[in-house]
């Protein structure tokens, strides 16, 4: 499976990438929403895992843009991760998690077992 991981924490991206590569997934990475959107257009991933707090926009905004404009297959999955709680994100009115755009929410810090469970 092709997976795109978008997070500005390079250490976390390396950990996730190594874990996913061991499970025979092809992993692409980005550190901001602009490069995440570009990689989604170019690579057409089956799954996108994005951090909520990114330098240029929120991960949720990027996922909405990808879903609206990237013409990925309808079965593409979207996972949002954050150090903030799902309730905090909902409270500030930034979207419904999980919902039509985001399939799952992964609270940081998380274990690789938790990540594996939502794959």
């Amino acid at each position: 499976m092709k997976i795109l991981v978008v997070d500005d924490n390079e250490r976390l991206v390396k950990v996730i990438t190594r874990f996913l590569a061991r499970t025979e997934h092809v992993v692409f990475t980005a550190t901001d929403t602009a490069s995440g959107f570009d990689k989604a257009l170019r690579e057409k991933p089956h799954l996108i895992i994005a951090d909520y707090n990114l330098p240029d926009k929120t991960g949720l905004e990027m996922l909405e843009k990808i879903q609206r404009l990237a013409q990925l297959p309808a079965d593409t999955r979207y996972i949002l991760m954050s150090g903030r709680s799902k309730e905090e994100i909902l409270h500030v009115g930034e979207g419904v998690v999980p919902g039509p755009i985001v399939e799952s929410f992964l609270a940081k810090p998380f274990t690789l077992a938790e990540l594996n469970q939502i794959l």
Side-chain angles (χ1 to χ4, degrees), residues 13-31:
V13 169
K14 284 181 184 179
V15 170
I16 293 172
T17 300
R18 283 187 201 133
F19 173 73
L20 294 174
R22 281 196 327 243
T23 56
E24 300 184 17
H25 297 294
V26 178
V27 183
F28 305 95
T29 64
T31 56

Side-chain angles (χ1 to χ4, degrees), residues 21-53:
R22 281 196 327 243
T23 56
E24 300 184 17
H25 297 294
V26 178
V27 183
F28 305 95
T29 64
T31 56
D32 58 49
T33 64
S35 59
F37 181 76
D38 289 343
K39 288 209 176 164
L41 285 175
R42 189 173 45 252
E43 304 299 340
K44 306 289 188 204
H46 303 103
L47 170 65
I48 301 173
I49 303 171
D51 185 29
Y52 179 78
N53 291 313

Side-chain angles (χ1 to χ4, degrees), residues 5-112:
V5 179
V6 185
D7 197 317
D8 58 334
N9 180 333
E10 292 181 27
R11 185 171 174 225
L12 178 60
V13 169
K14 284 181 184 179
V15 170
I16 293 172
T17 300
R18 283 187 201 133
F19 173 73
L20 294 174
R22 281 196 327 243
T23 56
E24 300 184 17
H25 297 294
V26 178
V27 183
F28 305 95
T29 64
T31 56
D32 58 49
T33 64
S35 59
F37 181 76
D38 289 343
K39 288 209 176 164
L41 285 175
R42 189 173 45 252
E43 304 299 340
K44 306 289 188 204
H46 303 103
L47 170 65
I48 301 173
I49 303 171
D51 185 29
Y52 179 78
N53 291 313
L54 292 166
D56 48 348
K57 291 184 182 183
T58 70
L60 187 59
E61 290 172 310
M62 180 195 66
L63 294 177
E64 289 171 337
K65 182 178 178 183
I66 288 170
Q67 194 173 55
R68 203 174 59 248
L69 301 174
Q71 298 179 343
L72 298 181
D75 62 348
T76 301
R77 298 174 51 215
Y78 303 89
I79 296 171
L80 189 65
M81 57 184 172
S82 179
R84 295 171 62 186
S85 72
K86 177 171 51 174
E87 291 74 21
E88 283 181 275
I89 292 170
L90 288 171
H91 179 71
V92 296
E94 308 220 29
V96 177
V97 179
I101 293 171
V102 177
E103 174 186 307
S104 298
F105 182 84
L106 195 55
K108 291 180 177 180
F110 56 85
T111 65
L112 294 176

